[in-house]
């Protein structure tokens, strides 16, 4: 019997709720044994609602203690409860107050949704459907209400009591209890509700908005960690001022609080005025956090803060619109980082992330549109497609409209929809109207899954001095979408002349072309430039102007030319990647490298390293070959990860060994005794130095293993230490086992640093890794309820250890599937997320495919899976 469709929710079925909630008055009595929640909901029927329409409130895992309507206890016949909630059979056809009292058991809540305890602290996570685990409610994002929250808790265990909005009063109560009353004047959906009660330390600061409002800022954390919160606070203040400068958006409450907790399913949560963070995205000090951690903290602090306007003031009408707030807010945080740091480096890094996380999703069994049209479990749609592809769609809008046009659209969107729960259509309408353009065709980007393949062929006619680019696009079918439409693709380009500078043309025909932008909106177009004095080398998709896979007929020579001359940093980086990719694929397909090609790439890498105009961070990104996963995706089918691993390792040696001396010289020259600083230039210097070291180790250069070990021991910060550890472990140098043991010895007691050890251990591409991970997991001291630990170990193994996860004998697949089955009982969200590692299985060679299929089928036949895991599994097996 198929049950998959039982819970499917369809976009087409959206209907407004027959009832609305005007205000919410919550009273929490928090005690170690349990928590009692009394809720007073002021509710009224929608004017169109027929009298007698039942009111169906969501509820999950609640114990109802009492229920009253307008102060009078309700009769048993007038309401019903079941596993999904509470129904009032025939509520009054007027405004009324519903009072319920429920008992919660936060200490046993290992799903980490609703109210739970993390290291003793009571905290909440409500997005998307956690509020129903706190009280009976219309738990959907189009119900906006004001919230007043009274909290009572024992003063000794919970001296800090926080909720959304502004603090109205606090004081002592009987029996060692104390209380606080919070009020949030901004109507909000229930998913933005939050409270925190615990014994926490804090750092405080303040910010004055452009219009002069003084805002008290605080970051709360475990006692003793306060010193590690300053980078997060600094990032917050810079985010607040950036949103004023760039988008004219000010903060709107008197208080902005952040709380760091150690058990959290996601990165962080933008609850109104009370952001709750996974502590790994708050704590930073040079000895335990890497440059990547500093970057992530800055980015996520900014992201959650920016949600105050894109997400909170304007929210989503329904969860199909998730991308409305997430894609847009990712775009905003990307822009923040670009303005604060290096735009080119940020762009390249974002493209790397998109290709490694979103492209495989879009090309595999879990592909879905940025605005999906159905879901079984909404938690499974917080995906790279909704976030990262969503941001790319907004970026294309900005490219098409130009900076001023984009800002006009944003201004109109804010003005028109402030205080509303709205849709992608409304968002696009604001841009269309503000710029007087039609975005109907553009909207297809939100509705169609799959990564388009854009093919470019070119020809030059010397006699006519004309140059023609023939562009065509094609998107492969994805689950549920057998046929695809052509999309509007903004293609940034330049025609590079023989001297390396962009060329001019006198006329162009065949498509809409504006300065440096071709707008391709058909399946095919022939764009002809006239007055082109010599054959140009085209630089296409500059800045990665659209999330597509570009295929060109450019030969090695043109690519090497672009690697040297393209004035678009992304293009230059891409050209080096393309050369590396072509060589890797040739070798995998059994074509030996030509004598000249590898030395040419080696020389281009050497020139990049030696360039005086390029910055260190860019060089660090450029000096590497495409990842094994990227090579696998380019091959696309019958993939043998062992062969890819071998070839990539051999190519790394062939390309970088010849420039070992300049790498070593640069490595030495970049050493610095300056105290650690997370600024862009220092980060770039460390990145390049560590890249040089990593390449020396990976290419087996003489003395490199010892150099890495030396760096590991001498390191004064975690960036350098971890880089040395991971280079040694990935290449499994003679020193690797001792370094791993030393790291564990030094840092095993610091959970966030332990995660780094777990991740390095899990990514070692060698037999035996499964046994090692298995014994770590089997250790009774290993915290199986902490998402960070589980993801560091098993998430890394499934996503970042291609050869061992996809072992031909199926041991890797079985290992992950068994883990998923087990953890599913504790935390379904973590289990489902780790399971997505299987999304690459259809492109593997046959014996691995069979092994993956059998591991997935075995998991399915065990039954009793959560909806989260069952949904991913069903989609994975349907392919
Ligand atoms: N909006 C939250 C995500 C909540 C995840 C729920 N599974 C974090 C963010 O994107 O800012
Ligand atoms: Zn977000």
């Amino acid at each position: 019997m198929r049950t998959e469709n039982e819970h499917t929710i369809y976009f087409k079925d959206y209907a407004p709720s027959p009832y609305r909630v005007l205000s919410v008055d919550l009273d929490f009595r928090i005690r170690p044994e349990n928590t009692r929640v009394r809720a007073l909901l002021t509710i009224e029927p929608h004017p169109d609602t027929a009298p007698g329409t039942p009111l169906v409130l969501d509820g999950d895992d609640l114990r109802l203690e009492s229920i009253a309507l307008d102060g009078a206890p309700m009769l048993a016949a007038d309401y019903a409860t079941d596993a999904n909630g509470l129904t009032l059979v025939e509520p009054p056809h007027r405004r009324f107050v519903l009072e319920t009292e429920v008992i919660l058991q936060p200490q046993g809540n290992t799903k980490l949704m609703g109210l739970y305890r993390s290291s003793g602290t009571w905290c909440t996570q409500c997005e998307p459907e956690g509020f129903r685990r706190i009280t009976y409610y219309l738990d959907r994002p189009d119900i906006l209400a004001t919230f007043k929250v009274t909290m009572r808790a024992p003063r000794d265990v919970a001296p800090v009591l926080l909720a959304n909005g502004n603090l109205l009063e606090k004081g002592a109560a009987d029996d060692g209890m104390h209380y606080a009353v919070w009020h949030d004047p901004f109507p909000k959906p229930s998913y933005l509700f939050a409270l925190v009660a615990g014994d926490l330390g804090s750092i405080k600061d303040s910010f004055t908005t452009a219009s002069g409002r003084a805002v008290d800022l605080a970051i709360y954390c475990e006692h003793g960690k306060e010193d590690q919160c300053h980078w997060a606070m600094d990032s917050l203040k810079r985010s607040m001022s950036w949103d004023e400068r760039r988008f004219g958006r000010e903060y709107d409450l008197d208080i902005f609080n952040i709380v760091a907790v150690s058990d959290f399913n996601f990165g962080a949560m933008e609850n109104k005025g009370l952001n709750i963070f996974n502590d790994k995205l708050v704590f930073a000090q040079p000895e335990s956090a890497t440059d990547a951690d500093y970057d992530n903290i800055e980015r996520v602090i900014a992201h959650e803060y920016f949600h105050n306007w894109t997400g909170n003031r304007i929210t989503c009408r329904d969860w199909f619109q998730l991308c409305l707030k997430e894609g847009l807010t990712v775009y905003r945080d990307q822009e923040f980082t670009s303005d604060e740091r290096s735009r080119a480096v940020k762009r390249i890094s974002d493209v790397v992330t998109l290709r490694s996380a979103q492209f495989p999703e879009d090309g595999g069994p879990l592909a879905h549109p940025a605005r999906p049209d159905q879901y079984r479990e909404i938690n499974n749609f917080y995906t790279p497609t909704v976030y990262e592809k969503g941001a790319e769609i907004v970026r294309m809008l900005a490219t098409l409209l130009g900076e001023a046009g984009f800002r006009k659209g944003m201004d109109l969107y804010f003005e028109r929809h402030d205080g509303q729960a709205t849709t992608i259509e409304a968002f696009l309408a604001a841009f269309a109207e503000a710029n007087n353009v039609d975005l109907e065709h553009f909207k297809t980007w939100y509705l169609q899954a799959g990564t388009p393949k854009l093919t470019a062929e070119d020809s030059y006619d010397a006699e006519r001095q004309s140059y023609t680019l023939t562009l065509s696009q094609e998107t492969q079918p994805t689950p549920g979408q057998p046929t695809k439409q052509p999309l509007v693709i903004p293609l940034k380009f330049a025609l590079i002349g023989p001297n390396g500078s962009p060329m001019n043309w006198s006329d162009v025909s065949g498509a809409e072309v504006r300065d440096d932008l071709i707008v391709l909106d058909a399946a095919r177009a022939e764009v002809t430039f006239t007055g082109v004095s010599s054959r140009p080398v085209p630089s296409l998709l500059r800045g990665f102007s659209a999330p597509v896979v570009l295929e060109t007929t450019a030969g090695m020579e043109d690519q090497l030319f672009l690697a040297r001359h393209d004035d678009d940093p992304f293009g230059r980086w891409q050209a080096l990647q393309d050369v590396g990719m072509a060589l890797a694929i040739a070798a995998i397909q059994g074509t030996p490298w030509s004598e000249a090609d590898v030395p040419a790439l080696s020389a281009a890498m050497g020139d990049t390293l030696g360039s005086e105009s390029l910055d260190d961070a860019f060089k660090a990104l450029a000096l590497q070959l495409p990842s094994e996963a990227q090579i696998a995706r380019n091959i696309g089918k019958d993939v043998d990860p062992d062969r890819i691993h071998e070839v990539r390792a051999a190519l790394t040696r062939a390309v970088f060994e010849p420039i070992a001396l300049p790498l070593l010289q640069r490595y030495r020259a970049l050493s610095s005794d300056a105290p650690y600083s997370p600024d862009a230039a220092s980060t770039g210097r460390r990145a390049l130095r560590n890249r040089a070291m990593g390449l020396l180790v990976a290419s087996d250069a003489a003395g490199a293993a010892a150099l890495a070990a030396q760096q590991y021991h001498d390191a004064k910060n975690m960036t350098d230490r971890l880089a040395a550890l991971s280079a040694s472990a990935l290449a499994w140098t003679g020193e690797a086992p001792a370094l791993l043991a030393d790291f564990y010895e030094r840092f095993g007691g610091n959970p966030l640093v332990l995660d780094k050890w777990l991740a390095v251990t899990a990514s070692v591409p060698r037999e035996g890794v499964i046994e090692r991970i298995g014994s770590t997991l089997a250790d009774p001291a290993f915290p199986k309820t902490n998402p960070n630990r589980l993801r560091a170990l098993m998430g890394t193994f499934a996503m970042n250890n291609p050869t061992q996860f996809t072992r031909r004998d199926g041991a890797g697949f079985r290992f992950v599937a068994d883990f998923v089955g087990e953890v599913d009982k504790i935390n379904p969200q973590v289990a489902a997320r780790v399971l997505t590692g299987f999304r690459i299985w259809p492109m593997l060679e046959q014996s691995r495919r069979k092994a993956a299929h059998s591991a997935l089928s075995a998991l399915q036949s065990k039954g009793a899976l959560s909806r989260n895991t069952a949904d991913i599994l069903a989609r994975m097996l349907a392919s």
Side-chain angles (χ1 to χ4, degrees):
M1 193 183 75
R2 285 174 67 86
T3 54
E4 285 101 79
N5 294 326
E6 267 172 27
H7 295 280
T8 304
I9 316 279
Y10 295 93
F11 169 73
K12 64 176 169 47
D13 293 343
Y14 172 82
S17 165
Y19 292 87
R20 55 192 198 120
V21 183
L22 301 169
S23 63
V24 180
D25 189 339
L26 296 171
D27 187 308
F28 287 81
R29 195 186 59 191
I30 297 168
R31 290 183 308 184
E33 319 75 90
N34 61 33
T35 292
R36 193 214 57 190
V37 186
R38 191 170 59 94
L40 294 173
L41 309 181
T42 304
I43 298 177
E44 71 180 17
H46 190 269
D48 302 338
T49 299
T53 305
L55 167 61
V56 183
L57 298 174
D58 302 296
D60 176 18
D61 228 357
L62 301 173
R63 196 172 92 206
L64 182 63
E65 292 286 296
S66 71
I67 177 165
L69 202 146
D70 286 336
M74 286 186 75
L75 301 176
D78 292 336
Y79 68 91
T81 55
D82 64 16
N84 297 319
L86 164 71
T87 302
L88 302 199
V89 182
E90 204 178 329
H93 199 61
R94 55 167 167 79
R95 185 176 294 188
F96 60 92
V97 175
L98 177 69
E99 178 176 351
T100 59
E101 208 174 13
V102 298
I103 303 278
L104 314 178
Q105 305 286 345
Q107 65 282 7
N109 180 357
T110 61
K111 290 185 181 172
L112 313 184
M113 288 298 282
L115 179 67
Y116 64 94
R117 289 190 86 171
S118 173
S119 307
T121 298
W122 284 270
C123 61
T124 55
Q125 171 57 32
C126 292
E127 184 177 1
E129 296 180 335
F131 192 68
R132 63 189 63 186
R133 293 165 60 79
I134 293 176
T135 194
Y136 290 105
Y137 199 70
L138 286 168
D139 193 12
R140 43 186 285 170
D142 59 350
I143 297 291
L144 306 182
T146 55
F147 281 64
K148 181 169 158 240
V149 178
T150 303
M151 312 167 60
R152 277 176 294 155
R155 187 192 278 280
D156 56 345
V157 273
V160 172
L161 301 177
L162 307 172
N164 311 95
N166 295 319
L167 180 65
L168 293 186
E169 69 176 281
K170 62 178 182 174
D174 296 342
D175 296 344
M177 303 282 279
H178 70 146
Y179 75 95
V181 184
W182 291 82
H183 179 249
D184 182 358
F186 291 93
K188 65 166 176 287
S190 50
Y191 82 84
L192 290 173
F193 168 82
L195 71 72
V196 171
D199 187 1
L200 299 166
S202 65
I203 63 164
K204 308 231 157 131
D205 209 321
S206 67
F207 181 84
T208 305
T209 66
S211 65
R213 174 195 282 274
V215 185
D216 290 332
L217 310 176
I219 302 184
Y220 291 86
C221 64
E222 194 182 308
H223 286 292
K225 301 266 174 81
E226 295 86 345
D227 271 1
Q228 299 186 41
C229 299
H230 295 290
W231 175 246
M233 183 64 92
D234 182 58
S235 303
L236 173 62
K237 290 196 289 183
R238 285 184 287 117
S239 308
M240 295 177 86
S241 102
W242 182 88
D243 214 10
E244 294 183 345
R245 289 198 308 277
R246 180 76 190 266
F247 284 104
R249 297 295 115 195
E250 280 189 30
Y251 189 60
D252 49 14
L253 289 164
D254 305 333
I255 298 181
F256 189 83
N257 286 324
I258 291 176
V259 180
V261 300
S262 45
D263 300 86
F264 203 74
N265 278 341
F266 224 67
M269 179 65 212
E270 69 264 25
N271 316 297
K272 183 80 188 185
L274 177 56
N275 289 1
I276 298 183
F277 269 66
N278 187 322
D279 59 6
K280 75 169 181 191
L281 289 164
V282 173
F283 296 147
Q285 58 184 0
E287 314 82 76
S288 52
T290 60
D291 290 341
D293 294 324
Y294 276 82
D295 280 2
N296 280 330
I297 292 167
E298 180 183 76
R299 174 176 66 81
V300 180
I301 291 272
H303 179 96
E304 305 310 331
Y305 174 73
F306 298 153
H307 267 315
N308 191 53
W309 274 96
T310 49
N312 301 3
R313 291 284 288 254
I314 306 181
T315 194
C316 301
R317 185 193 71 173
D318 53 73
W319 292 120
F320 297 102
Q321 319 291 337
L322 185 56
C323 187
L324 174 70
K325 73 178 178 82
E326 295 305 348
L328 177 56
T329 306
V330 171
Y331 170 78
R332 276 152 53 69
D333 82 53
Q334 291 176 344
E335 284 300 292
F336 167 73
T337 306
S338 304
D339 286 348
E340 294 279 301
R341 291 171 173 264
S342 151
R343 183 164 286 272
V345 167
K346 174 63 175 163
R347 188 65 191 136
I348 296 167
S349 320
D350 285 342
V351 174
V352 171
T353 308
L354 186 81
R355 285 181 177 154
S356 67
Q358 199 274 328
F359 280 18
E361 179 167 270
D362 228 359
L366 303 180
H368 57 273
R371 196 197 71 190
D373 42 30
Q374 61 181 80
Y375 62 78
R376 289 180 65 205
E377 171 53 65
I378 189 57
N379 273 297
N380 289 341
F381 284 81
Y382 287 76
T383 58
T385 296
V386 166
Y387 277 69
E388 272 77 34
K389 185 174 182 177
E392 292 300 320
I393 299 175
V394 175
R395 184 168 298 281
M396 287 189 285
L397 201 54
T399 301
L400 288 165
L401 300 176
E403 198 177 320
F406 183 75
R407 176 67 197 266
K408 271 202 274 176
M410 286 297 288
D411 287 348
L412 182 59
Y413 174 66
F414 287 129
E415 184 190 313
R416 194 181 266 179
H417 297 290
D418 187 13
Q420 295 177 7
T422 191
T423 60
I424 300 282
E425 276 82 359
F427 174 70
L428 287 177
F431 288 89
E433 286 175 41
N435 291 278
N436 200 16
V437 292
D438 184 347
L439 293 172
E440 205 41 43
H441 186 188
F442 181 79
K443 185 176 139 193
T444 312
W445 275 109
Y446 282 104
L447 309 182
Q448 185 166 288
T451 308
K453 187 169 85 183
L454 176 65
T455 309
E457 288 170 12
D458 67 342
S459 64
Y460 180 66
D461 184 333
E463 209 166 294
R464 293 205 166 81
Q465 302 224 322
S466 82
Y467 175 72
T468 301
L469 266 177
T470 305
L471 303 169
S472 56
Q473 57 166 308
E474 193 190 357
T475 306
Q476 291 302 311
T478 54
Q481 286 188 336
T483 55
K484 301 287 181 180
Q485 308 302 316
L487 295 155
V488 180
I489 298 181
L491 183 69
K492 280 203 177 173
F493 77 103
L495 306 181
I496 313 280
N499 62 358
S501 12
M503 297 176 78
N504 294 321
W505 56 86
S506 52
D507 210 354
V508 57
S509 63
E512 185 188 338
V513 178
R514 314 176 208 150
D515 301 333
D516 61 346
L517 184 69
I518 300 173
V519 183
L520 174 69
D521 61 1
R524 190 169 183 283
E526 247 181 43
V527 189
T528 300
F529 300 84
T530 45
V532 182
S533 55
S534 62
R535 178 189 167 271
V537 177
S539 161
L540 299 175
L541 202 67
R542 286 157 77 87
F544 197 69
S545 58
V548 301
V549 171
L550 175 66
E551 284 194 5
T552 68
T553 45
M556 196 74 85
E557 208 177 304
D558 283 354
Q559 282 165 342
L560 288 168
F561 176 83
L562 289 174
R564 285 206 165 80
H565 297 295
D566 200 335
D567 61 332
D568 172 39
F570 169 79
R572 206 158 165 159
W573 171 85
Q574 182 65 56
L576 282 172
Q577 290 283 299
D578 288 343
V579 175
M581 182 65 81
L583 292 176
I585 291 187
I588 288 160
Q589 290 168 345
T591 319
W593 296 317
S594 85
E595 248 173 63
D597 288 344
V598 171
L601 178 57
S602 199
M605 291 289 187
D607 290 352
T608 304
L609 178 66
S611 156
E612 300 208 337
S613 59
L614 299 169
D615 66 36
D616 291 342
F618 174 86
K619 292 179 185 178
L621 289 169
L623 285 163
Q624 58 183 328
L625 296 175
S627 67
E628 289 170 39
Q630 179 70 42
I631 298 170
R633 271 194 306 286
N634 275 45
I635 296 174
K637 61 174 199 274
D638 293 326
V639 166
D640 174 353
D642 287 331
R643 179 84 186 118
I644 294 178
H645 181 75
E646 252 168 53
V647 165
R648 187 179 182 276
L651 186 59
T652 301
R653 284 192 295 274
V655 171
F656 294 103
E657 216 274 331
I659 58 167
L661 188 60
L663 284 168
L664 183 63
Q665 285 164 343
R666 184 52 61 103
Y667 174 83
R668 296 219 166 102
L670 288 168
S671 304
S672 158
D673 283 331
Y676 179 88
S677 154
D679 66 87
S682 315
T683 302
R685 193 170 56 238
R686 283 187 291 273
L688 182 56
R689 183 166 178 267
N690 286 323
R691 171 71 65 216
M693 185 263 309
L695 289 170
L696 289 168
V697 174
S699 51
D700 229 353
L707 184 81
Q710 192 65 43
Q711 170 170 326
Y712 171 88
H713 288 294
D714 295 348
K716 296 193 182 60
N717 59 65
M718 184 51 76
T719 306
D720 292 340
R721 197 183 308 272
L722 186 66
L725 179 73
S726 99
S728 306
L730 290 179
W732 206 250
T733 63
E735 289 81 350
L739 299 185
L740 278 166
D742 180 82
F743 193 92
Y744 187 83
E745 183 72 19
R746 283 184 204 232
F747 302 108
N750 177 336
L752 294 179
V753 189
L754 173 64
D755 288 346
K756 301 183 193 307
W757 184 88
L758 295 170
V760 171
T761 306
S763 48
V764 173
R766 287 171 63 86
E767 270 190 36
V769 64
I770 294 178
E771 290 69 20
R772 268 201 303 280
I773 301 176
S775 64
T776 302
L777 269 179
D779 183 342
F782 188 80
K784 281 223 176 130
T785 53
N786 181 280
N788 289 2
R789 294 315 82 75
L790 297 172
R791 281 188 294 244
L793 196 60
M794 293 304 286
T796 305
F797 179 70
M799 307 275 186
N800 276 331
N801 195 338
T803 60
Q804 300 309 299
F805 172 53
T806 69
R807 266 168 59 156
R808 200 189 293 269
D809 65 4
F813 297 133
R814 285 193 298 277
F815 182 54
V816 173
D818 288 348
F819 168 86
V820 167
E822 203 187 317
V823 167
D824 194 44
K825 301 185 183 88
I826 302 171
N827 187 328
Q829 285 192 53
V830 171
R833 183 72 51 158
V834 171
L835 185 60
T836 63
F838 273 93
R839 67 192 172 192
I840 44 107
W841 82 270
M843 70 170 183
L844 297 172
E845 53 79 24
Q846 196 191 2
S847 58
R848 288 177 169 86
R849 256 191 342 255
K850 260 174 89 177
H853 189 269
S854 106
L856 291 170
S857 309
L859 177 60
Q860 196 173 45
S861 63
K862 278 190 198 148
L865 294 170
S866 68
R867 191 154 82 210
N868 307 56
T869 296
D871 168 48
I872 299 283
L873 194 51
R875 287 192 273 151
M876 203 77 87
L877 281 167
S879 60

